[in-house]
Amino acid sequence: MTNFPVEKIRADFPILAELIRNKPLVYLDNAATCQKPQAVIDSIVNLYSHDYANVHRGVHTLSIRSTDKFEGARTKVKDFINAGHEKEIIFVRGATEAINLVAQSYGKANIKAGDEILITAMEHHSNIVPWQMLCEQTGAILKVAPINLQGELIYAEFEKLISDKTRLVSVVHMSNALGTINPVKKIVAAAHAKGIPVLLDGAQAIPHMAVDVQDLDCDFYVFSGHKLYAPSGIGVLYGKQALLEAMPPYQGGGDMIRKVTFEETEYNTLPYKFEAGTPSIADVVGLGAAIDYLNAIGMDKIAAYEAELLAYATEKARQIKGLRIIGEAEHKGAILSFVLDKIHPHDIGTMLDSLGIAIRAGHHCAMPVMDFFQVPATARASFAMYNTKEEIDVLMKGIESLIEVFG
Amino acid sequence: MFDDLRDLYQEVIFDHNRNPRNFRVMENADRQVEGFNPLCGDRLTLYLKMDGDRIADASFQGSGCAISTASVSLMTEIVKGKTEQEAEDLFTKFHEMTTGKDENFNLEAVGKLAVLAGVREYPARVKCATLAWHTLDAALKNEQKSISTE
């Protein structure tokens, strides 16, 4: 393995020392949510212990301290994804809320009956349902680009589906059910060639690779904090300033949006126009702390280490008779989705749990993906920077043993 | 290796999972109801042949985890020959057993269904065991064509 300080990193995550059913925890459900380092936990405790008050409100000392930490975190997010300006960083509850915001704000203002929204067949429900709702409201049509049996987007088909009626392309950067990493830069360029904006769902991609929104040139990029070692309940919508400026607010006037003319001067300045109410202050500060923590390690090093973990796990999994990997894209993040011959994923999940191994069993909020592969569900081991080869060995031994028990 | 799971995955459950009983489509069924657990994708179709208010025959088709397959397999065996009321009473007892509210639950009251008592220690799996019975309940009440655990 590369010279990656995994033991030092593990020591920073208190939960990794927990015993589950009297066995050391092997946490492989990182695509659902990942664990938090002490630095993130401390940042929240410290805020509430020493610096907490409401932000952007008072002239008193605590309000200023709290605001500084809150806005400091915004700057950290901006730098982390290389956005052009803090104004382009909107704090929301998570990737789901960010997509709903774009659908209901940008979508309602710009998408009409007969227009088309283009997604792919590997989307998470959160990048399907908000658009279905918008289509229901507007009469627009949802188009779905197909995938192949490796779980890759069939790019040629995707390109064909970009039409004169397409008003928005919304694509997952990395699939949560398959691990596939989409050629998003190419997708953005193809859509832009026809003047169509692109939203990238970065919920899975963000903890696994360096993301540069200016290099990608995407119009919107969304992600959740909780998959980035930060608290749950906080997420980010990045949007290009010109687009955000032109968009009506998301909360506090949904019914009026259709009636007002699209004038940015009527609303608050960015990013506050989209941040109605007291924000989740401590969680934002925690997100900033998570970014500091990741920067100290380096996203490129994390990506390289996780690629080694995935290669190791894939090789081991292929040696298990009766195991079928679901999602074998050439470009793939650290997710191993699989099914076992005649053993239901929920039985796999319960059996592995008894060994202290946490995996996900189910449809992964991607039922259309399950339908495509004709499985009711899959078992999914998803890796993070704190996982080890030894843990993968424990997983594989567990799988082999349960196959034996089921006979 | 899986010693902790012995209460949940008893040999009888593995047996019914490998060789489910009454696993067939029933021609001319009087009742046919689909049961679906959207969380795990368990899906079954239950068929009943009635003789007055008595269940003359029961069979099923579908796919699911070992717990749900064993549960529906055992159920089709045990309800055959029972009246609707007897089957409903058994459902009530089975529900009590699997949700584990009564610590002094008498396992003898459910006969061989007692092998499924282990699910009460696994809240995430209770629905796997009860899907079959909710489906039967709907079939007996002739309520609808499909039911869901959610």
Side-chain angles (χ1 to χ4, degrees):
Chain A
M1 280 283 180
T2 334
N3 187 21
F4 187 77
V6 65
E7 287 308 324
K8 185 173 171 295
I9 290 169
R10 289 182 69 80
D12 291 333
F13 287 75
I15 207 167
L16 296 182
E18 283 289 306
L19 293 180
I20 301 295
R21 298 186 186 271
N22 286 322
K23 298 185 183 74
L25 166 66
V26 175
Y27 187 77
L28 301 176
D29 194 18
N30 296 286
T33 196
C34 64
Q35 303 297 347
K36 318 305 171 195
Q38 193 63 49
V40 168
I41 299 167
D42 287 347
S43 73
I44 296 166
V45 173
N46 287 338
L47 179 82
Y48 282 130
S49 305
H50 303 293
D51 304 314
Y52 182 76
N54 212 329
V55 292
H56 311 133
R57 299 290 199 282
V59 292
H60 62 81
T61 305
L62 284 184
S63 177
I64 292 163
R65 275 196 215 158
S66 197
T67 303
D68 285 350
K69 283 200 159 187
F70 182 83
E71 290 302 328
R74 196 189 305 275
T75 303
K76 287 172 190 178
V77 171
K78 180 210 78 166
D79 292 338
F80 188 63
I81 60 170
N82 194 32
H85 199 283
E86 282 87 349
K87 285 178 183 173
E88 298 180 320
I89 305 299
I90 315 288
F91 288 124
V92 290
R93 281 188 298 142
T96 297
E97 188 177 45
I99 296 173
N100 277 280
L101 190 162
V102 174
Q104 291 302 310
S105 171
Y106 180 84
K108 266 193 181 167
N110 294 282
I111 295 171
K112 301 181 299 293
D115 288 347
E116 293 172 2
I117 299 157
L118 179 56
I119 63 172
T120 78
M122 71 174 89
E123 302 304 326
H124 186 281
H125 294 165
S126 62
N127 199 25
I128 301 172
V129 183
W131 306 117
Q132 285 175 330
M133 288 164 68
L134 179 66
C135 289
E136 215 163 88
Q137 292 157 353
T138 61
I141 299 153
L142 190 63
K143 293 279 180 180
V144 184
I147 57 177
N148 63 24
L149 286 170
Q150 281 72 53
E152 293 165 320
L153 176 67
I154 304 173
Y155 185 77
E157 295 295 324
F158 169 81
E159 221 173 14
K160 273 189 225 160
L161 283 168
I162 304 178
S163 79
D164 294 340
K165 289 178 182 170
T166 310
R167 293 291 171 269
L168 188 77
V169 170
S170 190
V171 171
V172 71
H173 191 171
M174 173 176 152
S175 157
N176 74 307
L178 303 167
T180 310
I181 296 171
N182 276 316
V184 286
K185 206 172 166 179
K186 202 161 117 184
I187 285 170
V188 171
H192 282 182
K194 296 201 175 178
I196 302 159
V198 179
L199 182 150
L200 296 180
D201 171 3
Q204 284 302 328
I206 197 83
H208 299 298
M209 65 190 83
V211 170
D212 181 333
V213 292
Q214 293 191 76
D215 179 55
L216 292 172
D217 199 27
C218 55
D219 301 276
F220 300 105
Y221 196 95
V222 310
F223 64 92
S224 299
H226 72 94
K227 294 195 205 309
L228 191 69
Y229 309 95
S232 53
I234 192 68
V236 171
L237 165 65
Y238 157 81
K240 283 183 178 168
Q241 193 176 336
L243 280 169
L244 293 173
E245 295 277 13
M247 282 159 57
Y250 170 51
Q251 290 180 324
D255 286 345
M256 284 173 57
I257 286 173
R258 272 179 254 169
K259 292 179 188 167
V260 294
T261 319
F262 206 33
E263 298 293 340
E264 69 278 7
T265 48
E266 296 209 18
Y267 306 113
N268 292 324
T269 53
L270 288 175
Y272 313 113
K273 182 169 90 176
F274 293 106
E275 293 180 359
T278 292
S280 197
I281 302 165
D283 296 323
V284 167
V285 171
L287 175 59
I291 287 172
D292 285 343
Y293 184 83
L294 289 165
N295 283 336
I297 300 167
M299 290 309 294
D300 289 335
K301 282 185 187 155
I302 291 169
Y305 176 71
E306 290 179 350
E308 284 184 40
L309 283 182
L310 178 67
Y312 183 76
T314 304
E315 188 203 316
K316 291 271 169 190
R318 280 188 181 139
Q319 290 165 16
I320 296 178
K321 205 169 161 257
L323 185 150
R324 173 185 165 208
I325 297 174
I326 302 290
E328 297 196 274
E330 196 184 332
H331 296 286
K332 206 181 147 179
I335 283 175
L336 186 76
S337 225
F338 63 94
V339 290
L340 297 179
D341 201 18
K342 290 182 186 159
I343 307 177
H344 192 280
H346 271 221
D347 294 320
I348 301 172
T350 297
M351 294 222 127
L352 292 179
D353 178 62
S354 78
L355 306 177
I357 306 166
I359 61 145
R360 173 83 187 267
H363 53 63
H364 317 296
C365 297
M367 283 180 171
V369 174
M370 301 298 110
D371 291 343
F372 177 76
F373 287 98
Q374 297 182 321
V375 293
T378 75
R380 179 187 68 188
S382 51
F383 309 106
M385 60 175 173
Y386 45 59
N387 290 128
T388 64
K389 267 170 86 171
E390 290 72 25
E391 288 180 309
I392 291 169
D393 290 339
V394 172
L395 168 71
M396 297 303 165
K397 195 165 169 252
I399 294 171
E400 280 169 346
S401 305
L402 76 88
I403 289 173
E404 218 166 276
V405 170
F406 265 78
Chain B
M1 193 164 187
F2 296 100
D3 292 351
D4 297 352
L5 288 177
R6 226 171 262 161
D7 283 346
L8 181 62
Y9 290 99
Q10 299 194 25
E11 195 45 50
V12 177
I13 289 180
F14 282 128
D15 175 39
H16 277 262
N17 183 50
R18 279 185 212 112
N19 306 300
R21 321 295 197 266
N22 302 307
F23 187 74
R24 58 187 154 83
V25 176
M26 190 189 291
E27 304 296 336
N28 308 318
D30 295 315
R31 312 270 171 89
Q32 177 181 337
V33 175
E34 277 172 31
F36 180 45
N37 182 344
L39 278 183
C40 41
D42 291 349
R43 198 181 279 277
L44 65 92
T45 307
L46 180 70
Y47 305 91
L48 297 181
K49 184 82 189 160
M50 304 302 292
D51 176 10
D53 77 337
R54 206 168 279 278
I55 300 168
D57 194 11
S59 73
F60 79 104
Q61 285 270 283
S63 72
C65 64
I67 306 294
S68 87
T69 303
S71 179
V72 65
S73 173
L74 283 159
M75 182 187 80
T76 55
E77 282 194 322
I78 208 166
V79 298
K80 258 190 237 183
K82 290 208 165 23
T83 64
E84 293 191 25
Q85 190 54 52
E86 285 164 350
E88 289 287 6
D89 290 347
L90 200 51
F91 173 37
T92 305
K93 289 204 187 81
F94 185 77
H95 195 262
E96 278 171 19
M97 174 182 81
T98 50
T99 49
K101 285 181 189 108
D102 178 9
E103 282 179 20
N104 303 315
F105 184 83
N106 179 12
L107 288 176
E108 285 171 15
V110 293
K112 60 185 173 182
L113 299 179
V115 295
L116 286 158
V119 295
R120 60 190 163 191
E121 302 297 327
Y122 297 85
R125 304 302 301 277
V126 170
K127 281 179 180 169
C128 308
T130 54
L131 174 65
W133 289 88
H134 284 290
T135 311
L136 175 71
D137 183 47
L140 292 177
K141 289 179 175 148
N142 229 346
E143 274 174 346
Q144 53 201 99
K145 284 286 169 202
S146 73
I147 68 118
S148 165
T149 54
E150 295 307 305

